[in-house]
Amino acid sequence: MREFVVVGHDAPTTPTFSLDDLPGDAGRLDVLCRCVTSAFLLSHGIREDVRVHLVLGDEFTITFSGGELRRLNPDERSTAALIRTALANRDDAVGAVAVESSPGVSITRRDFAGLLQSLARDGTVIQLAADGDPAIARAPPSDPVFVLSDHRPFTDAECDTLAGVTADRLSLSPRMLHADQAITIAHHYLDTDGYKRG
Amino acid sequence: MREFVVVGHDAPTTPTFSLDDLPGDAGRLDVLCRCVTSAFLLSHGIREDVRVHLVLGDEFTITFSGGELRRLNPDERSTAALIRTALANRDDAVGAVAVESSPGVSITRRDFAGLLQSLARDGTVIQLAADGDPAIARAPPSDPVFVLSDHRPFTDAECDTLAGVTADRLSLSPRMLHADQAITIAHHYLDTDGYKRG
């Protein structure tokens, strides 16, 4: 399993935003939408062995599960609509209960720290960071949980949380990338077994 | 210079499409928009040494030039608006005249064959193809012109055109990728000098 956690710092936690203005009215939800599609979509199909967790407002986590996911299209707007539908179910997400809002998409009332502690039990938590160790020098782990931030850096509190569960801080590229580009390259790194030649 | 040519088979050649339905009404223009942003955007800035050429309906070419480009945002909708503005200037694109519709964006009445012949003079034309030779075994060329198709494969006529000017048919990944993902990995391949270690 490959998991990606993306923290949305300005993202909405209610379903009242407009699909016509994802960068503005919806708090850069376009960034998170591109992360979801980068994580799942291949040219002819979907990566079933992937889960993506979007942390919204450090209050809700929306999880996309590749094995069950339906109706995911490549464009931002339709992905934003799936997120909006999940947020429309937020009041049913009580305690640890995950509410499935569409096939393979669910919402849970879970913050960043709670999510990471849960994922660290079965996976290897890796923080993607421009100043991390170059990934190219490492063999990829078998069940990676890549943690990324949206268009903002991690807060100090998030860094503290990460420090408690993170096996490695890795850099995928010599350039500073957008989160969705980093996800594409993380997949490529795993698809090629760390860019192995021959 | 890094150049990318993306052929849009269903893309509009007039500015009458709606920004609310890029996958449908605008003939999968969402694909081309993502190619543009993948080609140019870094986390904090733009790749100035890049040009992207979108071939629309084998009739018009819209060229984005990184050195002059302004107002390029990461979301699909605003990129589609730049393309729509370029198409609104289509009637002024006569003969070989390029009409600049916004800073760094211009439209020319030029088909796929004409564009490739022009680019082949100064660059190394490389067709990205799933069944091409693995890029990982090669050193990247210095002035690559990567040629990709949108969500459809190249037509037989386009393959014939490519065969006349293409130095190599390369595969970037063992998986079948979307065009924008391939652009991200092509940049990564060049940024790391072919994934060089150490």
Side-chain angles (χ1 to χ4, degrees):
Chain A
M1 182 64 70
R2 302 176 182 181
E3 309 215 33
F4 297 92
V5 175
V6 190
V7 179
H9 290 98
D10 300 332
T13 55
T14 63
T16 54
F17 58 87
S18 164
L19 296 179
D20 291 343
D21 186 15
L22 299 178
D25 186 46
R28 297 306 312 275
L29 195 60
D30 61 309
V31 177
L32 302 186
C33 293
R34 287 193 297 278
C35 287
V36 171
T37 47
S38 295
F40 286 109
L41 294 182
L42 292 167
S43 184
H44 298 288
I46 198 163
R47 292 182 188 264
E48 295 193 356
D49 61 336
V50 169
R51 272 199 294 260
V52 172
H53 311 272
L54 305 180
V55 182
L56 307 184
D58 203 24
E59 185 180 1
F60 292 99
T61 297
I62 297 180
T63 296
F64 293 71
S65 302
E68 294 84 44
L69 197 53
R70 302 286 177 275
R71 302 181 211 154
L72 181 70
N73 294 313
D75 66 298
E76 293 164 11
R77 188 184 174 96
S78 62
T79 306
L82 293 177
I83 293 171
R84 195 165 68 169
T85 301
L87 285 171
N89 288 269
R90 54 170 267 164
D91 291 340
D92 294 330
V94 180
V97 175
V99 180
E100 186 170 66
S101 51
S102 57
V105 184
S106 62
I107 182 167
T108 317
R109 194 174 293 267
R110 178 176 265 177
D111 63 9
F112 183 57
L115 174 67
L116 283 196
Q117 282 155 17
S118 163
L119 294 176
R121 276 182 221 128
D122 298 318
T124 305
V125 179
I126 297 167
Q127 180 182 353
L128 293 180
D131 63 347
D133 295 337
I136 204 166
R138 309 284 192 88
S142 54
D143 286 299
V145 179
F146 293 105
V147 186
L148 305 89
S149 188
D150 57 1
H151 60 296
R152 298 193 186 282
F154 289 114
T155 64
D156 290 345
E158 287 160 358
C159 287
D160 289 346
T161 300
L162 275 163
V165 293
T166 300
D168 268 316
R169 293 176 78 255
L170 293 186
S171 165
L172 288 172
S173 167
R175 310 298 295 263
M176 288 274 283
L177 302 176
H178 282 272
D180 61 302
Q181 296 168 334
I183 289 175
T184 296
I185 293 180
H187 270 316
H188 187 57
Y189 173 64
L190 298 170
D191 289 341
T192 57
D193 193 16
Y195 315 122
K196 200 166 279 182
R197 290 164 205 277
Chain B
M1 181 64 71
R2 304 176 181 180
E3 309 216 35
F4 297 91
V5 175
V6 190
V7 179
H9 290 98
D10 300 331
T13 55
T14 63
T16 53
F17 58 87
S18 165
L19 297 179
D20 291 343
D21 185 16
L22 299 179
D25 186 46
R28 296 306 311 275
L29 195 61
D30 60 309
V31 177
L32 302 186
C33 293
R34 287 194 297 278
C35 286
V36 171
T37 47
S38 295
F40 286 109
L41 295 182
L42 292 166
S43 183
H44 298 288
I46 198 162
R47 293 183 187 262
E48 296 194 356
D49 62 337
V50 168
R51 273 201 293 259
V52 172
H53 311 273
L54 305 180
V55 181
L56 307 184
D58 202 24
E59 183 180 4
F60 292 99
T61 297
I62 297 180
T63 296
F64 292 71
S65 302
E68 295 83 44
L69 197 55
R70 301 288 178 274
R71 302 181 211 153
L72 182 69
N73 294 314
D75 66 298
E76 293 164 11
R77 188 185 175 95
S78 62
T79 306
L82 293 177
I83 293 171
R84 195 166 66 169
T85 302
L87 285 171
N89 288 269
R90 54 170 266 165
D91 291 341
D92 295 330
V94 180
V97 176
V99 180
E100 187 171 64
S101 52
S102 59
V105 184
S106 63
I107 183 166
T108 317
R109 194 175 293 267
R110 179 176 263 175
D111 63 10
F112 183 58
L115 175 67
L116 283 196
Q117 281 154 18
S118 164
L119 295 176
R121 276 182 220 126
D122 298 319
T124 305
V125 178
I126 296 166
Q127 180 181 353
L128 292 180
D131 62 347
D133 294 337
I136 205 166
R138 309 285 191 88
S142 54
D143 286 299
V145 179
F146 292 105
V147 187
L148 305 89
S149 188
D150 57 0
H151 60 295
R152 298 195 187 281
F154 288 114
T155 64
D156 289 345
E158 287 159 358
C159 287
D160 288 346
T161 299
L162 275 162
V165 293
T166 301
D168 268 316
R169 294 177 75 255
L170 293 186
S171 165
L172 288 171
S173 167
R175 310 298 295 262
M176 287 275 283
L177 302 177
H178 281 273
D180 61 304
Q181 297 169 334
I183 288 174
T184 296
I185 293 180
H187 270 316
H188 187 58
Y189 172 64
L190 298 170
D191 289 343
T192 58
D193 193 15
Y195 314 122
K196 199 166 280 182
R197 292 164 205 277

